[in-house]
Amino acid sequence: MSAPLALVTFLAIASAAAAKPNAGLRTWGRFDKLPYPGDKAFLYDTFPEDFMWAVGTAAYQVEGAFEKDGKGLSIWDTFRRGGNRMATGDVGSDSYHNVYKDVRAIAQLGVSHYRFSLSWSRIFPNGTRGSYNEIGTNYYRTLLRRLKEIRVQPVVTLYHWDLPDHLQQTLGGWSHPEIVGIFKDYADFCFQTFGDDVKYWITIDNPFVVARHGYGTGVVAPGIKNDPDLPFRVGHNLIKAHAAVWHLYDRHYRPRQRGRLSMALASHWIKPSRTRLESLRECQCSLDHVLGWFARPLFVDGDYPPCMKARLGSRLPSFTPEERAQVRGTADFFALSHGAALSFQLINDSLKFGQQEELDLRMLLYWVNAEYDKPPIFVVQSGWYVLGNTKTEDPKHMYYLKRFIAEALKSIVIDGVNVIGYTAWSLMDGFEWHREYGIRRGLYYVDFNAPDMKREPKTSATFYRNVIQKNGFPELPENKPAQGSFPCDFAWGVSANSIQVETTPSQFADPSVYLWNISNNGELMRLEGFSAPPVRRAAHCADYATIRQQVDEIRQVGVNHFHFSLNWSAVVPTGDVAHPNTTLLGYYRCFTSQLLQANVTPVVTLWHHTRLRSSLPAPLDTANKWLNRETPKAFADYARLCYRELGAHVKMWITLNEPNDEMVTYQEGHHMLQAHARAWHVYDNEFRHAQGGKVSLALHMDWVEPAFSFSREDVEPAKRVLDFRVGWFAEPVFGSGDYPLGMRSWLRQLNSLELPVFNEGDRELVRGTYDFFAISHFSTELVTHAMEDSYTYTAMLEVQQMIDTTWMKSPRPVVPWGLRKALNWVREHYRDVPVYVMANGVQEDPARFKDSLRVYYLYNYINEALKAHTLDGVNLKGYFAYALSDQRDPGFGLYGHIQEEAIVKASLSNYRNIIKHNGFPVQGAAAQPCPSVPQPCPGCHVLAKKSVVGFLTLVGSGVLITLGLIVYYTAKRHKEYY
């Protein structure tokens, strides 16, 4: 067989395989097998050079002038005047009188294509050629001419839901077979009149909505209901009308006009509620009942999906063999509509078949590609919506656009789907069908009450223009991973909220006597009725099994620092430092000393804030907690006790960990700052000279990013939130000794007197009470000034919290660059202060020991920390992963647990490797010249104890004597034998 023939054969086989019925069924399994979380990461890349960037509108939504210049009534003009409906599209965005404004907006976006629909009743007022309206036709000629002047290609829809009302009243609209010929004649006129300037035609938009909701549920025009089978007869006529128009164009216009034609099909996306094959088949059937209803006849075999035929039976009309041949293959590309027109709007539960609806354009594109033999796909409608009271700031819509465009890009680059264009919906605000003016979908804001109907670009328009200019999301230098190393003295650590405490040594706690079965399986057999005499000696640190286990686990991570918290209420249960829990202090002393002997520096927090419990001694807990004026003094006394008892082993102290919680009142925070300052001064005056340690507080600092960074209206709220969340505690300590100026002035505007005032003595007490700046950082959020969702709107700060929908979540967003920005905020506000990231981690299913999300998280967050240090000049001194173990911090651990056994997760090994290389050194570069660290000797601390050494010497002497006797008598018997 020749090479060309072999290639043709291979392609034929591949094509046949791709066209296999229900080929889309493999979509869900394929995406389940993609690498996680790498596949969920944002893809920085660009679209093909010839990619079509478009924006669109529909005639009834934007044109207005419903009775102007001879236009006839459409079914929407009539439908909106029925019942108790109030709003209409009579004026809409008044595009009929604002062609130049529309075209200017299109030009500003920089799109290559503009999709719009023709109003059938504006051209043929009663629906037929005999009622031709020249003035109405000239409106579209003008629009096409203006588009040509700005070099934008039109994508023209013949029918976008606005049937001439005369055809509905006289024929019953799309329910009558005669409509097929009438629509064909209307299309013939449009091809003849406009076809020389149009290369992309859409016959009918979203026939599913037209049939099911126009002639079934009555939600949209013409509002017919109560005949459950009518939608299927309407759908049948819509398909035949489309096929007739396609053949008309193919035979009479394509040779000269060289255009392409299709039907715009809309769909939701659905995911299985269970992993069973039956659930996947139900998902497939759900898509078949919405998208496949029209797509399969056009793209596969000219007939309805088997699932529909099986479930609907005789309710579904049938195609004759001749009709199937006429319908099959009548699409030059797959025109896909996706977004708010259908998803979560007009898909009722009966079409989900017990499965779960989801918003996923990428998976839908892959399904279409697999199910319909890899057609070129033009996304002819995509976008989301904002509430009707939203004006030019619409970050929610912007981030949905970003998500959908990013999914289309992944579909091309990763999945190999032939996506040829993307259409953002819509150009401007207009009448939103059954949602009326309750939502807005435009890239341009229109004030419907203003006489000039001015088009103002929204944030989404600016975003879309930037994407088009860059042809996607090209990778920028700041998006690329950094290479380099941290300083030799960099503190690599791991954090835990607490440690496991064992108040009774377990080493000699079992008094039983055992026999060692050395002749068989080596097991120990306990002898009933026998017990060893009690051990009469002082407890040693080596006696605590939990200490040995925890220190060994920490050492295996490869860190040189370990951060944990003491429990104030347990150390001083009565609140009186003269009567502490000496047993617990002894345990902490042993734990920290054993860490040091393992070459791990302990970092100890005196008080860790949690919302669940105060962790204050009982007398303070019942006496107003942190609102009690005596609490700061009591905290200073407690700190003095800890410094005295543990200071020989602890050289790095955190007074308060994450006190800047939004549930903490300003007065409580005021007392916490005083408590921190008092504790710092205690160390500075009484212990620093002898112990040589460092003291500070650790603040929770998730990053806050303006939803639209080019907008001053969003930049200011982001600064305000950071002032209230971080500056609240940072500025008094690291800055002026007072609360942030922005915080005070904002509260003053609100006539609030809640924020306490620092007197001069307090200011001097608090200011400068730090040796380093410590932060806990986990995630990032967006803020905007424009209210969208009352549940995530903070009225006091006048900010709307939101997230970028392209971010990974688990459950909080995973945004590595947020750490870099947080570190730079510290540098910009407090100059060259030494900074430690005291906790950084992500929550993941504890049962997932191959915790790939945490591997991704740690790698990328640490890499952003390296950028902050090497590129931005942040004085970063250390990084602590959170957390050591799921046992103490469920879902965050580097160790998992099965019963009592600790399991090393994949993230631990990866973190240890980063530590081993001290960052991300350039491959092939010479090793960083750092002084070697002495390796720990696990047994050396045991040998340091004289009693243990004596015991081991005695045992060793006995063993040597026994071996000598064995050798002597063996040799003697050997001689006697000979």
Side-chain angles (χ1 to χ4, degrees), residues 408-481:
L409 180 61
K410 281 188 175 180
S411 187
I412 295 169
V413 176
I414 298 174
D415 306 331
V417 177
N418 185 18
V419 183
I420 61 174
Y422 179 89
T423 307
W425 201 270
S426 62
L427 173 64
M428 72 200 90
D429 295 330
F431 180 80
E432 290 298 335
W433 309 113
H434 63 292
R435 301 291 296 273
E436 301 177 350
Y437 296 103
I439 63 172
R440 291 176 180 264
R441 297 188 64 194
L443 299 178
Y444 280 76
Y445 170 76
V446 176
D447 183 349
F448 299 113
N449 297 316
D452 62 348
M453 293 279 185
K454 182 181 178 182
R455 280 84 165 116
E456 296 182 63
K458 301 182 185 179
T459 53
S460 55
T462 304
F463 165 78
Y464 193 46
R465 181 176 67 241
N466 290 338
V467 171
I468 293 171
Q469 287 175 350
K470 297 174 183 176
N471 199 32
F473 309 99
E475 188 173 44
L476 301 174
E478 57 264 32
N479 304 136
K480 297 178 181 179

Side-chain angles (χ1 to χ4, degrees), residues 613-633:
R613 58 187 183 277
S614 72
S615 298
L616 269 63
L620 292 174
D621 190 63
T622 56
N624 284 333
K625 302 180 176 63
W626 283 104
L627 289 173
N628 189 331
R629 292 179 179 272
E630 297 302 313
T631 301
K633 181 179 180 301

